[in-house]
Amino acid sequence: MIKDVKYPGRNIIITLSEEATALTSTVDGGLRSGIRYVIHHQVPKNFMEDPIEEVTRTHRELAINSDKAITFLTATELSRNHVIHGEVINGVEVEVSVTMGLTNPYRIDGGNVITNGAGESTINMAIIIGRPLTVQAMIDVITLAAQVKALTLAELTGNAMHGTTSDAIAVVTPSNGNKEPYAGPVTVIGKAVVHVVREALVRAYNTYTKMRESK
């Protein structure tokens, strides 16, 4: 479903090949229809402005209709910390767009949330699936993706972190067509999501850590 990717200024604009429905935890999120763009927008590291106003201003500057876009905010360096990984598995096309910053991590320990540090903070993931899904199936995808993120980060960091405190996630699927009712771990869609999300996160983590080491 990804038609084009552009990097204007402090933004990444992903143009979709067809109109989509999205379920997202972005600041302009919720259940959205008529989506044609996924945007990653870089804000200053000391960002304290109203996030909705920032999103609206960004859309205006990019000449994009806000009704047709979902927008992730992050302070990580987009030009160096963005990965798109896609695969077709058992006929299911999944593409994952990830931006990564890890300076405000958290981990779950005995029912408590342990935080450490402050800064770029955000892991943002847009999971773009080439099959229409019901809302229930989209929730399945978000659930699986969150589990994969926590397990993958725990593995990569020796259980030092399971995410960051401002992570956002979106699942994006075609609006038209017969909707798949389920996307849990035993479905072909769920299995494809687990694999592609993990691969995207590993690539993004390796890219981010190499960038930090080079500074």
Side-chain angles (χ1 to χ4, degrees):
M1 286 182 64
I2 294 179
K3 179 181 178 181
D4 184 53
V5 183
K6 294 181 179 178
Y7 295 79
R10 295 180 296 118
N11 304 284
I12 300 168
I13 303 174
I14 299 171
T15 303
L16 304 175
S17 60
E18 59 185 292
E19 187 174 282
T21 299
L23 184 61
T24 169
S25 64
T26 57
V27 295
D28 58 353
L31 181 62
R32 302 277 308 280
S33 59
I35 301 301
R36 295 305 299 261
Y37 306 97
V38 176
I39 299 170
H40 297 278
H41 174 64
Q42 183 179 341
V43 298
K45 293 183 179 180
N46 59 349
F47 180 71
M48 296 295 291
E49 305 298 323
D50 184 301
I52 293 294
E53 291 183 3
E54 181 72 13
V55 167
T56 301
R57 182 165 51 249
T58 298
H59 293 169
R60 185 168 57 247
E61 292 173 353
L62 296 173
I64 287 177
N65 186 333
S66 293
D67 291 337
K68 297 183 178 181
I70 58 171
T71 307
F72 294 93
L73 301 180
T74 182
T76 200
E77 190 176 348
L78 289 180
S79 61
R80 302 181 70 176
N81 295 317
H82 176 236
V83 166
I84 294 178
H85 180 73
E87 295 186 43
V88 178
I89 301 174
N90 293 324
V92 179
E93 181 182 19
V94 180
E95 298 165 291
V96 179
S97 170
V98 181
T99 66
M100 185 166 287
L102 300 179
T103 55
N104 194 19
Y106 79 87
R107 63 185 176 87
I108 297 170
D109 185 1
N112 298 310
V113 176
I114 310 300
T115 61
N116 181 32
E120 298 167 41
S121 73
T122 310
I123 302 170
N124 288 329
M125 289 195 296
I127 304 162
I128 302 166
I129 300 171
R131 290 191 186 183
L133 302 178
T134 62
V135 174
Q136 293 93 327
M138 296 169 81
I139 293 171
D140 285 339
V141 171
I142 288 177
T143 300
L144 279 176
Q147 292 169 339
V148 172
K149 181 186 69 174
L151 289 170
T152 302
L153 290 173
E155 176 186 339
L156 292 170
T157 66
N159 205 38
M161 66 179 299
H162 302 137
T164 82
T165 57
S166 56
D167 292 353
I169 188 169
V171 55
V172 182
T173 73
S175 294
N176 298 317
N178 294 325
K179 292 178 168 57
E180 300 281 352
Y182 308 110
V186 298
T187 67
V188 291
I189 295 172
K191 290 177 180 178
V193 166
V194 167
H195 177 80
V196 179
V197 167
R198 174 182 163 76
E199 291 301 308
L201 285 167
V202 170
R203 284 184 57 191
Y205 179 84
N206 290 337
T207 297
Y208 178 81
T209 53
K210 287 179 182 177
M211 181 275 295
R212 299 287 290 184
E213 291 169 357
S214 68
K215 286 188 174 182

